[in-house]
Every structure is written in C-alpha cells, then in structure tokens.
C-alpha cells in the first residue's frame, strides 16, 4: 500500500514540476533557472511542513516521499548549475548553488514553524 501511495504522489508531483518549471521560466528573460529554483523551494517548504505536522505514515508516503520527491529535482539543479558554469555564467552558477541551498533550508524551516504553529506544538 505504501508503494502505491508513493507512486500516486509522484504521478501528480512530476507533471506539476514540469508545468511549473516551464510556466515560471517562460516569464523570465534570464539564464538563471528560476523554474527549478521555484519548484525546489516550494517542495522544501511543503516537506518541512509535512515532517513537523503530526501526519500519519500514509500521508507522509503520499505527499512527502511521492509528491515532494517528484516535485523537487536535485539532478536538474546540479545539471543547470554546471551548465551555467560551463557556458561562462559562473556568477549565476554560484548564485544558483548558494540561493538554492539557503532558500531550500529556509523554506523547510518555515514549513516546520508553520506546522508547529498550526498544531500548537513546540
């Protein structure tokens, strides 16, 4: 049953990642990978919330592992960062690495804080 929940979450997360990435990137005239940055930060925020919220194993499998796992993309982040560096956009590559790490960790922390506030736990 857990495997089915993970697969269902991923079946929604992966297409949403693609559509969001394309929609966000099409609105920016920049080599910076705004689409990937957006889905990764959003996924970190949601996963931070889910982990701190007292949800059951099924919800964690469906929304955490499946949905967030498919929504976020470390491999694309790595590829795009290296591509920026190789094509002479090194400042953007450094910015992408630093901003993605900082924003991802910050978003996960905010998600946890919000979950604690919603549930009244510390």
């Amino acid at each position: 049953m857990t495997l089915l929940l993970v697969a269902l979450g991923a079946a929604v997360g992966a297409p949403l990642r693609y559509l969001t990435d394309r929609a966000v990137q099409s609105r920016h005239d920049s080599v910076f990978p705004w689409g990937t940055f957006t889905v990764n930060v959003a996924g970190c925020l949601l996963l931070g919330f889910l982990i701190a919220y007292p949800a059951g194993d099924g919800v964690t499998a469906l929304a955490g592992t499946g949905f967030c796992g498919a929504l976020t993309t470390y491999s694309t982040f790595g590829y795009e960062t290296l591509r920026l560096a190789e094509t002479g956009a090194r400042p953007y590559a450094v910015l992408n690495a630093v901003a993605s790490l900082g924003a991802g960790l910050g978003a996960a922390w905010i998600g946890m804080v919000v979950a604690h506030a919603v549930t009244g736990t510390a």
Side-chain angles (χ1 to χ4, degrees), residues 5-33:
L5 291 171
V6 170
L8 287 172
V12 175
L16 184 60
R17 175 184 73 214
Y18 174 78
L19 293 172
T20 303
D21 176 75
R22 296 294 88 212
V24 170
Q25 199 61 42
S26 71
R27 287 170 173 74
H28 292 86
D29 186 26
S30 170
V31 296
F32 189 83

Side-chain angles (χ1 to χ4, degrees), residues 78-117:
Y79 165 76
E80 288 173 343
T81 303
L82 290 176
R83 184 179 49 87
L84 288 168
E86 290 175 349
T87 60
R90 285 186 178 85
Y92 282 115
V94 171
L95 176 63
N96 189 39
V98 172
S100 292
L101 181 60
L105 290 172
W109 178 78
I110 289 169
M112 293 175 72
V113 169
V114 169
H116 289 304

Side-chain angles (χ1 to χ4, degrees), residues 3-92:
L3 182 60
L4 179 60
L5 291 171
V6 170
L8 287 172
V12 175
L16 184 60
R17 175 184 73 214
Y18 174 78
L19 293 172
T20 303
D21 176 75
R22 296 294 88 212
V24 170
Q25 199 61 42
S26 71
R27 287 170 173 74
H28 292 86
D29 186 26
S30 170
V31 296
F32 189 83
W34 286 110
T36 301
F37 180 81
T38 301
V39 295
N40 284 345
V41 172
C44 288
L45 178 72
L46 180 58
L47 188 58
F49 180 87
L50 290 169
I51 296 304
Y53 192 82
D57 291 341
V59 172
T60 301
L62 175 74
T65 305
F67 180 77
C68 289
L71 177 67
T72 60
T73 173
Y74 192 77
S75 57
T76 302
F77 157 73
Y79 165 76
E80 288 173 343
T81 303
L82 290 176
R83 184 179 49 87
L84 288 168
E86 290 175 349
T87 60
R90 285 186 178 85
Y92 282 115

